Amino acid sequence: MAEFHPTPSKDELVERYVGKSLQDILTPSVVLDLNIVKKNCARMLEAVGILNFGWRAHIKTHKTLELTRLQVGEGNGPVNIIVSTLAEAEYVLPLLLEYKFQGRPANVLYSFPVTPISVARLSILAKALGPHGLSLMVDDTVQLNCIKSIHQASGIAPDVFLKIDMGTHRAGVLVESEAASTLSQSLLSLTSSGTCYFSGLYAHAGHSYYGSDKATAINLLQQELEALLKTSHFVQPSKQPSLNRPFILSVGATPTTSSIRNLLVDESTLQLEEAEAIRLLKSTIASIQNTGCTLEVHAGVYPVLDIQQLSTHALPTSGPQATTFEDIGITVLAEVASTYPGRGANGSTEVLIGTGTLALGREPCKAYPGWGILTPWNRSSSADLVPKSAETFSGWIIGRISQEHGIVTYLSRELDSKVAESGGLAEPFEVGQKVRIWPNHACVAGAGYGWYYVVDGSDQIIDIWVRCRGW
């Protein structure tokens, strides 16, 4: 609960740091660029608006109130969010109540299957948010007892999604399985009794992180939709008692949800495989619309992005829907502690920074053999190259890490001569020099910090965004 994981005072942090330069703060620190995250959020809201999809923003990556506001946008539309922890739900509750006071419908989905230990805290949330304010997830019949307990304790019938396993076997019931049928009928029965409201089906294509092109991301989104469409036949939403809202089919992960922007590109620019994937996706979308179900997409890391996301190549690298390294809104600030000339491969320098596993995370990226890539910021003019892709990048990476140590090494690829010609191997690093790092996985990289330093395209800190902590 919040009292066991107190957050620092934003006002005190703002007073201490706003107006200072990134050069003046302690390291390691995590930095967000407001220009970039605003643009990424606006792009997503524009796409779901044009396509008339339902939208649910996941806040687990950043865990802040400020970025949640950007994800849900302005106006009078619904505010639907997803959290991974109860602490996130409790932290964002005042913001949801603010939106409700303004007349915007607000709903938070706790995306972990409900368990007995969570009942008391979820009951408080349900009562505070009122009817259709709290959504829960189930994938086991025993969890229905928790749903009943929440209803009894709060007097509110929570909305419930049935979690569908897309083959990753992390959570959920299999498509068209007996378990899916049994749980659906049980949820219909609980809906009839007023104990809960069976909202729909939910899937997460986590395996889309391993994709490598636009067609793969589009196909995985189509497969998610097709799986939920098939499973919805068990549910027969048109026969549900006393329902005044469409049955929701909620799908997505950042690669698949972002891929909906491919529906907005000039079709003449598509490869044959991409065009066929889009044709199948449009056909499945039309089938869902014909059933009367609502199509909802969800995603979380897209506002800040990271190297893993760029390596899925779910979007073009040129044109109005392009996504490149310049769209990564999160960096980790580090300081050079030591230099080791000639110690690295081919006589290159190695550099020690005090930014290791706890500051960057230890998740690898399939596109290159490192734990982060140095940005051009605050480096010599010979090193001002922004990678076109992680797969072809030659330059300085975090090549080795331990708990608090990061070793900057030079990654050389035979096909890239430009960096070698520019003198990259001989780039001078100085003890005390600050560098910024694009992380592999933004969700994990941010987890070790209490707040983000927010900049706006320059080195000057313009705000502090406090992250919630705990579970």
Side-chain angles (χ1 to χ4, degrees):
M1 298 181 71
E3 56 263 35
F4 294 112
H5 301 281
T7 56
S9 165
K10 171 167 178 157
D11 290 342
E12 291 180 5
L13 291 168
V14 165
E15 183 178 359
R16 180 171 182 177
Y17 292 113
V18 167
K20 290 189 175 181
S21 168
L22 294 179
Q23 299 282 3
D24 301 326
I25 62 175
L26 296 175
T27 60
S29 295
V30 63
V31 180
L32 295 182
D33 191 304
L34 183 61
N35 280 333
I36 296 174
V37 298
K38 273 186 173 180
K39 181 179 71 172
N40 291 341
C41 289
R43 279 175 151 186
M44 183 66 79
L45 290 170
E46 178 186 40
V48 295
I50 292 173
L51 297 168
N52 197 30
F53 292 167
W55 168 239
R56 190 176 287 270
H58 209 315
I59 71 169
K60 74 180 181 71
T61 297
H62 57 88
K63 301 176 186 275
T64 70
L65 301 177
E66 294 87 349
L67 192 36
T68 301
R69 288 185 187 275
L70 294 177
Q71 286 183 281
V72 301
E74 299 177 347
N76 301 317
V79 175
N80 295 320
I81 68 168
I82 311 173
V83 298
S84 287
T85 66
L86 292 172
E88 292 166 31
E90 292 161 345
Y91 187 62
V92 82
L93 175 61
L95 179 60
L96 295 177
L97 294 175
E98 175 187 322
Y99 284 127
K100 285 191 60 144
F101 181 77
Q102 294 170 0
R104 296 181 68 176
N107 179 275
V108 57
L109 168 61
Y110 176 48
S111 64
F112 196 84
V114 59
T115 59
I117 197 64
S118 66
V119 165
R121 294 166 72 184
L122 287 169
S123 298
I124 294 171
L125 288 165
K127 190 169 185 178
L129 289 166
H132 301 304
L134 175 68
S135 291
L136 303 173
M137 193 91 72
V138 298
D139 64 358
D140 190 301
T141 54
V142 177
Q143 295 157 1
L144 300 178
N145 292 325
C146 298
I147 303 296
K148 296 174 185 176
S149 296
I150 292 168
H151 174 247
Q152 184 177 14
S154 67
I156 300 295
D159 292 4
V160 180
F161 282 90
L162 175 59
K163 178 67 184 287
I164 302 299
D165 182 358
M166 287 301 301
T168 58
H169 302 326
R170 185 174 76 171
V173 294
L174 294 174
V175 175
E176 297 183 290
S177 64
E178 182 177 349
S181 179
T182 299
L183 269 167
S184 295
Q185 295 307 312
S186 296
L187 287 169
L188 285 171
S189 177
L190 290 176
T191 300
S192 296
S193 68
T195 304
C196 74
Y197 184 99
F198 189 8
S199 290
L201 308 175
Y202 180 102
H204 171 69
H207 51 307
S208 63
Y209 282 44
Y210 302 100
S212 298
D213 54 62
K214 294 190 288 293
T216 297
I218 297 165
N219 280 326
L220 287 171
L221 177 60
Q222 187 273 331
Q223 291 166 22
E224 278 189 285
L225 291 171
E226 185 71 25
L228 297 197
L229 180 60
K230 288 180 179 179
T231 305
S232 71
H233 297 323
F234 284 121
V235 180
Q236 296 180 307
S238 63
K239 297 182 181 179
Q240 290 193 55
S242 305
L243 297 189
N244 54 15
R245 298 188 304 171
F247 196 70
I248 299 170
L249 304 185
S250 187
V251 298
T254 287
T256 53
T257 296
S258 294
S259 75
I260 66 173
R261 286 165 45 197
N262 289 297
L263 297 171
L264 306 178
V265 305
D266 182 352
E267 292 188 8
S268 66
T269 65
L270 299 173
Q271 301 293 323
L272 183 63
E273 186 179 13
E274 296 163 1
E276 176 60 15
I278 285 178
R279 185 192 67 80
L280 289 172
L281 176 59
K282 287 181 176 178
S283 175
T284 303
I285 290 170
S287 296
I288 290 171
Q289 291 170 339
N290 288 337
T291 67
C293 293
T294 291
L295 192 164
E296 177 185 270
V297 292
H298 52 255
V301 73
Y302 72 93
V304 298
L305 294 174
D306 53 34
I307 302 175
Q308 282 187 354
Q309 291 300 321
L310 264 62
S311 299
T312 68
H313 299 285
L315 286 164
T317 54
S318 62
Q321 299 299 328
T323 297
T324 70
F325 270 79
E326 292 178 311
D327 295 305
I328 298 179
I330 183 172
T331 53
V332 174
L333 183 71
E335 183 180 40
V336 173
S338 303
T339 64
Y340 309 99
R343 193 178 78 174
N346 300 318
S348 62
T349 296
E350 291 191 338
V351 175
L352 172 66
I353 56 175
T355 304
T357 300
L358 297 184
L360 279 172
R362 201 177 179 88
E363 288 203 31
C365 178
K366 62 184 176 63
Y368 79 110
W371 312 100
I373 293 177
L374 260 61
T375 78
W377 180 82
N378 200 39
R379 291 167 54 198
S380 63
S381 59
S382 63
D384 59 352
L385 300 176
V386 175
K388 292 183 179 178
S389 72
E391 290 86 352
T392 60
F393 175 69
S394 287
W396 298 97
I397 67 172
I398 313 305
R400 302 192 300 277
I401 53 174
S402 54
Q403 180 170 323
E404 304 295 350
H405 297 66
I407 307 299
V408 179
T409 63
Y410 190 84
L411 172 64
S412 178
R413 299 186 191 268
E414 293 180 359
L415 297 179
D416 188 338
S417 61
K418 187 174 181 181
V419 174
E421 291 172 359
S422 73
L425 282 168
E427 179 180 347
F429 288 95
E430 299 179 358
V431 172
Q433 178 183 348
K434 298 283 182 65
V435 294
R436 289 166 72 180
I437 304 160
W438 284 307
N440 284 350
H441 189 173
C443 305
V444 178
Y449 302 90
W451 59 86
Y452 295 101
Y453 295 95
V454 181
V455 298
D456 203 1
S458 72
D459 293 358
Q460 186 178 36
I461 298 166
I462 63 168
D463 203 358
I464 300 291
W465 292 357
V466 175
R467 291 171 51 94
C468 83
R469 303 173 57 239
W471 285 271

